[in-house]
Amino acid sequence: MTGWVADLALGVRLGVSGGRSGWVRLALISLGVGLGVAMLLVAASAPAVLDARADRAAERWVNSDQVIEPGAPTLLTLPVRSMHRGEAIEGRLLQPESPDAPLPPGVDRQLAPGEVVLSPALERLLASPDGAALRGRWGEQTVGTIGPEGLTGPDELTFYLGTDRLTGETAVRISSFGGDQQPEEGVSPVMVLLALVGIVVLLLPVGIFVATAVRFGSEARDRRLAALRLVGADARTTRRVAAGETLTGAVLGLGVGALVWLLVSRVAGTLVPDSLSFYPADVRPAPALVGLVVVLVPLTTVLVTLSALRQVVVEPLGVVRRSGARRRRLWWRLLFPLAGLALLHPLVTGLDTAMGTQVSIAAGLVLLLTGVALVLPWLVEATVHRLGNGPVAWDLAVRRLQLDSGTAVRAVSGVAVSVAGLIALQGLVGAIGALTAGAAADTRTYQASVLDIFPEDQAGGDPAGTWTRALSAAPGVTDVGALTSIGAEPTGGAPEAVVESGPCAVLAQEAQVGACRDGDVFVVVPEGAVAPPAGSAWTLGDGVRWTLPDTARPVAPNQGSVSALNGGGPPRILLTPAALGGLRPDVVAVTTYATLDPAVPDALDHLRTAAAQVDPRAYASSIAQQGIASALVTMRQVLLVGTVALLVMVGASLLVNVLEQLRERRRLLAALVAVGTRRRTLSGSVLVQVAVPVVLGLGLAVLTGSVLALGLQTAVDAPLTFDRVGVGATSGVAAVVVLLTTAAGLPLLWRLTRPEGLRTE
Amino acid sequence: MSVGRALLGLLENGPRHGYDLKRSYDERFGTDRPLAYGQVYSTLARLLRNGFVEVESEPGAGPERKRYAITEAGVADVASWLAQPEKPEPYLQSTLYTKVVLALLTGNDATTVLDTQRAEHLRLMRELTRRKETGDLADQLVCDHALFHLEADLRWLELTAARVQQLAAHVRP
Amino acid sequence: MPTEPLLVAEHLRLSFGATTALEDASVAVHAGEVLALMGPSGSGKSTLLHCLGGILHPDAGRVTYAGRDLTAMHDSERSALRRSELGFVFQFGQLVPELTCLENVALPLRLNGASRRAAHRSASAWLERLEVLDVAAKRPGQVSGGQGQRVAVARALVTRPRVVFADEPTGALDSLNGERVMQLFVAAARETGAAVVLVTHEARVAAYSDREAVVRDGRVRTVEYAR
């Protein structure tokens, strides 16, 4: 036991006193391990961040089914959804019903009608030039700032606006904020799946990277061990010394990782979208996960070191590499991806959020992607042994790979696993995007709309007129048209129908009305609905009766209009104003369409501000379909950041690998240049040597990733597509990383091939 | 033979008495075998006969008080001897050493002495190497024996060449 | 001896940082002769060989090969010259470990654009000439030091160069193996008419030369004396 400790201690001492090359090796290992540890710590912090955000959200949550104790001070409230440029701003209307009405967290006073409190981020935005179009949207009477306890994150855009227009019917009455029940987030199995794939894809390469980092500079280490053997250390002692040396790097790596994590947790808030921002103080890695990292990372590094040492025999007079004779076998390597595929069966047979299914899918993903890393060495070996002869550079590289492909493959397997995972993720994200994307909406006449579902609150009893006037005055709005939705009660066996009225230009936005004159009536019959016969009658509000004339023309819905998107539903009757013949029907909603001047920047936001000034509850939006839900946009951003981080790590380890191989062969390279070998030939050979495994790795990755993407697409019932652009881009970027790292290695090649390399030590 | 050259070389620094010459010689060259008086005087007599030295007598003194001085012919003889490589043969060191020290003493280039000798050694080694290639096994073995000896001498020459500066400091303090 | 030397170095000076390797070194190599460069370690003899072979560029002075100024040539020109008209044998570590011995010998021919088949044909002839045809299919790691050096000599001679530079070619071998390598080397070089510049510190290796030059403190001393 004490011998063990002494050996390990000797290793530690050799590690820190190995001269300049020893230091470089130690620094590389601890940097590599540190990067990996930092990523693991970030992942371990994610639950705490999410929990903290959820807790903060729960504190201010409004329970719409609250049981109000009689006599308790109450408050009426309603959420307000708005946007600024592409970003969502969610706020709340507050209407205290007594002076001691409940206050939301972070707000310290009751709000009078028109008074507003802002989150710091929103306050900053309003004060900045970017927020010009936002000014006045919720009035000018800013009376305070929402404290951190009332926000999910420092960059959250939110506000509370005092009002007097809410009623018990149109709003929610509460006696307190928050509650025991968690807000219904609606975590769909699809999102859980996305998260699972994402975590596996990001963390698996970290493991591979850490394993690679431990091998940095192992040549010099092996020579040191040989020197130890010469003075009488036995094979087992040398293994323990090596383990001790690696352990030094791993422990230093833990420290480096903790530092990097501290830095990252300070700045990470600014890297994520504002709506996902969090307080640095909330970034606390789960103690259990930290414990796992602290134990597992050094353990892994030691195990990797020992298994790598199995490949070499450290003899007193040098190092003998066991290679060549033993060909790699395929069968046991195939077990992993096959088992992975088997575990992934819920993707095809049906998805649910049950724990078992999640574990099965996560394990399946890990096995499948690990399988890529395992099958790749076999694939490379089997391929290079079949490669034919070519130019000298090609021959040199191929022969080198035939003799020892392990080194090259190790560096590439990280790329392959990442690319396979990323292709699968991109396929999935793309497919979900396709699911939610609608057909292109008609934006020729109008580009934005404002929906008001509380038209009865508009003074003067002419909500359409009010909206038209108010919005026309907004900067950048050149034309507006209102579509009035009318409450229609069928009478005398008439079918259920939606009745809407508006000028021809507005009706053209809803259906293919063709030639239209004031007084025309159109009927839109969605698929599966029955057309109401002429003469059917409806009651449009108090004592207003209306009959469908036989001049009504059946027309097809517009692509991208509500009825085309939803399908089914009742028939719609579209009236021009004159067709109502002076009737004053009961208005249930007003949709005001607006034509925006493309030359005016932020015209849409000016429109939103104008709309909020009429009624903050109105929802203003662009007509053009947002192709992908914002959650997916966020996902893509995270994916992009992850991809870049991964490829940088992969590039770094590839570079170290190339440099090490070159340094190992410096004498030979110098001799080859001395006999007149062109440098072009040498650099070509280095490139081929890296490129062959990379091409094979990418091929395998694209295959695995595409199969996985198809499975994931099946799971979410998305159309099966092959994401050609995503595959091309990801593998392209990976290939560029390879080329760049090779190129970065070339200066060393030039330096090593100077005649000084011929000098003996 | 070489004793005569050695004495001549010692005289290049100025005329000396016989006894002085013996002492100087013993100091520099005769570490284990001091020169006998008789040999000194017989050698000087031979050099006198050949005209390489001349005698400067001090009045009223016996043979012990005779001072010997080197003639121009003597200086030339030393120089040509230094320039001529020895025939490579075993146990040359004492002669070669004498030559190097004398070269240093007389201001001749000691390195040239060594290089000249080395060239002569190599010339013989080339000959032996060539003979070895054409000869039978017995010839080869004989040649190899000679080659190894010559190589040892050559190594000594190289070593001495590397230490000429040191030696010079020792010889001419 | 022919009057016009094939390769001439005049007044070469070269320093590596603070250490001066060559200081006014001049030497001439005649076509077909075997010249030994001797001298103690660190005297600059390897540096002189590298300058003569166009591997190193001297700080001052001139190297002329067959009337062409090597020192004025572009690196690619010198590389091309090294590939075609000059040959090199080093002490060790010059054979590509992944290639077989045959492929190693064929390498310079292929670098010159010869077809694989033609290159292999010449290469096996040279392996046979140096009595190592039996290791043709083995990799350098699988042959003995002596065999490896003979393969290296074959590789240096395969392009039929006019000058072969050998830097301690037997430095890592025992005397018997070293002698055999030198015998085969010098005989083969004489047969093809190649001049040999041989850097060695061993007299018995230098004895295979026609002439020697001693490098000392970065200068060349060529000794002329009456025979």
Side-chain angles (χ1 to χ4, degrees):
Chain A
M1 187 64 207
T2 49
W4 256 93
V5 174
D7 290 343
L8 283 177
L10 178 60
V12 171
R13 226 173 27 249
L14 280 179
V16 296
S17 61
R20 195 163 138 253
S21 71
W23 274 110
V24 169
R25 170 176 147 75
L26 201 61
L28 280 176
I29 290 181
S30 37
L31 202 65
V33 173
L35 282 178
V37 167
M39 281 195 85
L40 291 175
L41 286 179
V42 167
S45 308
V49 170
L50 294 178
D51 278 355
R53 282 178 52 87
D55 287 348
R56 290 162 176 279
E59 285 293 305
R60 66 180 190 198
W61 175 57
V62 168
N63 181 358
S64 51
D65 298 328
Q66 217 171 69
V67 183
I68 312 286
E69 307 213 353
T74 56
L75 168 83
L76 288 174
T77 179
L78 202 65
V80 175
R81 289 197 165 80
S82 186
M83 288 189 93
H84 173 250
R85 293 186 178 162
E87 256 181 306
I89 305 174
E90 296 194 9
R92 214 162 240 294
L93 294 176
L94 301 181
Q95 185 174 327
E97 292 182 305
S98 66
D100 52 354
L103 286 170
V107 178
D108 53 11
R109 51 165 289 189
Q110 297 296 349
L111 299 179
E115 290 184 334
V116 65
V117 288
L118 305 171
S119 70
L122 184 54
E123 203 167 9
R124 279 196 302 277
L125 180 60
L126 272 166
S128 74
D130 281 348
L134 202 55
R135 256 161 247 158
R137 191 175 290 187
W138 300 290
E140 305 284 352
Q141 304 175 49
T142 306
V143 295
T145 306
I146 306 174
E149 64 271 30
L151 300 171
T152 56
D155 292 331
E156 191 187 17
L157 298 174
T158 187
F159 63 91
Y160 291 103
L161 174 61
T163 183
D164 54 4
R165 289 154 81 174
L166 301 181
T167 66
E169 287 79 52
T170 60
V172 175
R173 175 171 284 122
I174 56 169
S175 59
S176 67
F177 282 88
D180 298 335
Q181 196 189 345
Q182 286 294 315
E184 203 61 44
E185 283 280 321
V187 184
S188 75
V190 172
M191 285 298 159
V192 172
L193 182 63
L194 266 180
L196 275 180
V197 179
I199 290 169
V200 170
V201 164
L202 290 179
L203 291 190
L204 205 54
V206 171
I208 292 176
F209 180 73
V210 168
T212 313
V214 173
R215 291 166 181 259
F216 289 161
S218 55
E219 303 292 330
R221 196 262 329 269
D222 290 349
R223 279 198 295 277
R224 271 205 295 283
L225 292 181
L228 274 185
R229 293 275 277 136
L230 193 58
V231 298
D234 63 14
R236 219 190 271 154
T237 307
T238 53
R239 275 203 289 277
R240 285 199 290 263
V241 169
E245 213 181 313
T246 308
L247 207 55
T248 318
V251 170
L252 282 178
L254 284 177
V256 171
L259 278 178
V260 173
W261 170 81
L262 272 177
L263 279 176
V264 166
S265 64
R266 290 291 161 271
V267 299
T270 59
L271 295 180
V272 300
D274 286 351
S275 57
L276 292 181
S277 73
F278 51 84
Y279 288 99
D282 290 341
V283 187
R284 288 181 305 266
L289 294 179
V290 172
L292 273 181
V293 170
V294 167
V295 173
L296 284 184
V297 167
L299 192 67
T300 311
T301 58
V302 168
L303 287 180
V304 168
T305 305
L306 294 183
S307 88
L309 271 183
R310 284 188 186 287
Q311 301 295 318
V312 298
V313 186
V314 180
E315 292 294 344
L317 291 176
V319 179
V320 184
R321 215 155 285 278
R322 286 183 189 146
S323 65
R326 201 159 41 88
R327 288 288 284 267
R328 298 191 169 100
R329 294 187 187 285
L330 179 60
W331 67 268
W332 68 267
R333 292 168 192 272
L334 268 182
L335 287 183
F336 279 76
L338 289 180
L341 282 178
L343 283 175
L344 285 174
H345 70 89
L347 291 184
V348 182
T349 55
L351 211 56
D352 55 58
T353 46
M355 195 62 189
T357 314
Q358 287 185 30
V359 169
S360 163
I361 287 176
L365 287 171
V366 171
L367 283 178
L368 185 61
L369 292 178
T370 313
V372 171
L374 284 174
V375 171
L376 187 59
W378 174 85
L379 182 68
V380 172
E381 191 182 80
T383 310
V384 292
H385 277 98
R386 282 175 183 73
L387 285 178
N389 300 311
V392 180
W394 171 270
D395 277 4
L396 283 173
V398 167
R399 286 314 175 76
R400 167 92 185 139
L401 287 173
Q402 284 174 357
L403 202 60
D404 172 28
S405 58
T407 330
V409 169
R410 258 200 304 283
V412 173
S413 54
V415 194
V417 172
S418 329
V419 170
L422 289 172
I423 285 175
L425 258 187
Q426 275 165 352
L428 182 58
V429 170
I432 294 174
L435 255 190
T436 49
D442 178 9
T443 57
R444 282 168 303 178
T445 318
Y446 299 118
Q447 291 83 43
S449 68
V450 177
L451 174 64
D452 174 16
I453 57 167
F454 304 105
E456 66 278 6
D457 285 4
Q458 305 308 334
D462 175 19
T466 310
W467 279 109
T468 310
R469 280 188 301 279
L471 298 186
S472 299
V477 176
T478 53
D479 190 20
V480 294
L483 180 72
T484 311
S485 298
I486 298 163
E489 284 289 318
T491 59
E496 191 86 35
V498 173
V499 179
E500 286 158 322
S501 88
C504 281
V506 169
L507 296 188
Q509 194 71 31
E510 299 296 321
Q512 297 172 22
V513 294
C516 168
R517 280 183 307 115
D518 202 8
D520 285 354
V521 175
F522 305 94
V523 179
V524 183
V525 183
E527 225 177 293
V530 181
S536 305
W538 290 269
T539 308
L540 310 180
D542 271 347
V544 180
R545 198 182 143 81
W546 186 81
T547 310
L548 184 66
D550 52 8
T551 54
R553 297 209 309 264
V555 291
N558 265 347
Q559 287 296 310
S561 66
V562 176
S563 50
L565 272 181
N566 292 348
R572 293 174 83 195
I573 297 167
L574 302 177
L575 311 173
T576 46
L580 273 174
L583 297 174
R584 303 270 312 199
D586 188 8
V587 177
V588 296
V590 176
T591 307
T592 317
Y593 286 101
T595 308
L596 302 179
D597 183 352
V600 177
D602 291 332
L604 180 58
D605 274 301
H606 286 298
L607 178 77
R608 285 182 182 133
T609 301
Q613 282 166 347
V614 174
D615 188 336
R617 295 169 296 182
Y619 185 67
S621 67
S622 162
I623 291 175
Q625 282 289 337
Q626 306 290 323
I628 303 164
S630 64
L632 289 175
V633 173
T634 309
M635 202 77 198
R636 282 223 150 142
Q637 282 175 350
V638 171
L639 209 58
L640 190 70
V641 171
T643 310
V644 170
L646 269 184
L647 289 177
V648 165
M649 263 170 44
V650 161
S653 58
L654 264 180
L655 183 60
V656 169
N657 211 295
V658 167
L659 295 186
E660 188 148 279
Q661 281 198 33
L662 287 177
R663 203 164 279 133
E664 202 182 319
R665 294 157 71 79
R666 62 189 311 166
R667 206 190 140 72
L668 173 70
L669 290 170
L672 280 176
V673 167
V675 302
T677 310
R678 292 179 190 88
R679 290 185 165 173
R680 183 150 40 94
T681 309
L682 288 183
S683 42
S685 132
V686 172
L687 186 66
V688 171
Q689 216 174 293
V690 180
V692 166
V694 167
V695 166
L696 291 172
L698 285 183
L700 190 61
V702 168
L703 183 74
T704 316
S706 302
V707 167
L708 197 50
L710 288 182
L712 294 170
Q713 286 163 2
T714 315
V716 300
D717 296 324
L720 299 186
T721 52
F722 178 71
D723 182 6
R724 242 177 266 128
V725 179
V727 167
T730 310
S731 38
V733 168
V736 166
V737 165
V738 169
L739 284 178
L740 282 182
T741 46
T742 309
L746 291 184
L748 180 73
L749 179 64
W750 304 151
R751 204 160 59 74
L752 289 183
T753 50
R754 288 206 300 242
E756 283 87 332
L758 283 171
R759 309 186 154 267
T760 43
E761 280 143 31
Chain B
M1 178 69 197
S2 67
V3 175
R5 259 67 179 249
L7 295 182
L8 275 180
L10 289 171
L11 282 177
E12 275 197 40
N13 280 352
R16 294 193 187 194
H17 297 286
Y19 181 73
D20 270 355
L21 274 175
K22 176 201 147 43
R23 246 190 14 214
S24 295
Y25 183 96
D26 285 350
E27 263 171 29
R28 296 222 159 85
F29 310 112
T31 35
D32 5 290
R33 282 188 304 161
L35 215 51
Y37 269 124
Q39 202 184 346
V40 174
Y41 288 109
S42 63
T43 306
L44 283 171
R46 185 164 49 76
L47 293 173
L48 198 61
R49 221 172 29 246
N50 292 345
F52 293 151
V53 294
E54 52 194 19
V55 178
E56 300 173 353
S57 291
E58 279 172 30
E64 256 100 298
R65 303 312 301 165
K66 272 184 190 165
R67 282 209 326 175
Y68 295 85
I70 192 162
T71 61
E72 276 188 23
V75 172
D77 181 60
V78 170
S80 83
W81 177 65
L82 286 177
Q84 194 62 37
E86 295 297 307
K87 186 173 182 302
E89 56 190 18
Y91 313 116
L92 257 180
Q93 288 91 315
S94 61
T95 314
L96 288 175
Y97 177 71
T98 310
K99 275 190 158 185
V100 170
V101 173
L102 277 183
L104 289 170
L105 276 176
T106 58
N108 279 292
D109 187 353
T111 313
T112 306
V113 171
L114 290 164
D115 280 350
T116 311
Q117 190 57 48
R118 161 209 205 95
E120 185 59 19
H121 267 68
L122 256 183
R123 198 183 57 76
L124 185 60
M125 285 179 79
R126 274 195 200 98
E127 233 166 73
L128 289 167
T129 304
R130 234 166 287 148
R131 201 189 306 164
K132 199 171 76 170
E133 275 175 48
T134 49
D136 58 11
L137 185 62
D139 271 349
Q140 281 179 23
L141 289 175
V142 169
C143 290
D144 272 333
H145 180 81
L147 278 168
F148 279 117
H149 276 290
L150 287 169
E151 192 187 20
D153 279 355
L154 240 162
R155 283 207 191 140
W156 179 87
L157 285 170
E158 264 163 23
L159 196 74
T160 311
R163 292 182 176 169
V164 156
Q165 299 300 329
Q166 250 174 291
L167 193 62
H170 181 73
V171 168
R172 281 186 307 210
Chain C
M1 215 170 250
T3 46
E4 196 60 36
L6 177 61
L7 181 60
V8 184
E10 295 165 283
H11 312 295
L12 298 187
R13 196 198 335 275
L14 178 57
S15 18
F16 300 107
T19 45
T20 306
L22 292 181
E23 173 134 30
D24 196 23
S26 302
V27 71
V29 184
H30 296 270
E33 77 165 336
V34 181
L35 171 71
L37 290 178
M38 303 190 69
S41 328
S43 59
K45 53 190 192 299
S46 287
T47 307
L48 179 59
L49 177 120
H50 291 156
C51 285
L52 284 171
I55 300 174
L56 278 176
H57 196 277
D59 296 339
R62 208 157 69 116
V63 179
T64 323
Y65 167 77
R68 295 150 75 192
D69 186 355
L70 269 188
T71 38
M73 276 187 198
H74 188 260
D75 181 60
S76 58
E77 269 180 281
R78 276 186 283 138
S79 288
L81 195 67
R82 291 202 299 267
R83 273 201 302 282
S84 49
E85 297 190 34
L86 310 178
F88 292 88
V89 183
F90 300 108
Q91 189 174 346
F92 62 88
Q94 54 201 314
L95 299 176
V96 183
E98 298 88 32
L99 301 183
T100 63
C101 291
L102 181 70
E103 287 169 325
N104 262 297
V105 176
L107 187 64
L109 292 174
R110 299 202 57 210
L111 287 171
N112 274 333
S115 80
R116 198 182 164 80
R117 176 179 296 190
H120 281 202
R121 216 174 22 238
S122 303
S124 36
W126 272 103
L127 285 176
E128 189 166 17
R129 174 77 187 74
L130 285 151
E131 302 172 1
V132 277
L133 190 56
D134 50 325
V135 301
K138 291 188 176 170
R139 281 196 298 265
Q142 300 165 321
V143 305
S144 74
Q147 288 169 327
Q149 282 307 85
R150 287 192 240 172
V151 172
V153 169
R155 191 175 77 174
L157 288 167
V158 72
T159 54
R160 300 200 158 257
R162 295 182 70 189
V163 188
V164 179
F165 297 92
D167 192 350
E168 302 278 10
T170 61
L173 303 180
D174 63 66
S175 54
L176 202 60
N177 264 304
E179 301 253 335
R180 193 72 196 123
V181 167
M182 283 312 298
Q183 278 171 13
L184 290 165
F185 178 19
V186 170
R190 287 193 203 284
E191 216 173 88
T192 59
V196 175
V197 180
L198 176 66
V199 160
T200 184
H201 66 278
E202 282 179 273
R204 273 175 314 107
V205 172
Y208 284 89
S209 65
D210 300 319
R211 198 162 66 89
E212 83 274 5
V214 180
V215 186
R216 196 166 284 150
D217 299 330
R219 293 166 194 269
V220 181
R221 304 171 62 102
T222 333
V223 181
E224 300 297 339
Y225 60 93
R227 291 259 165 106

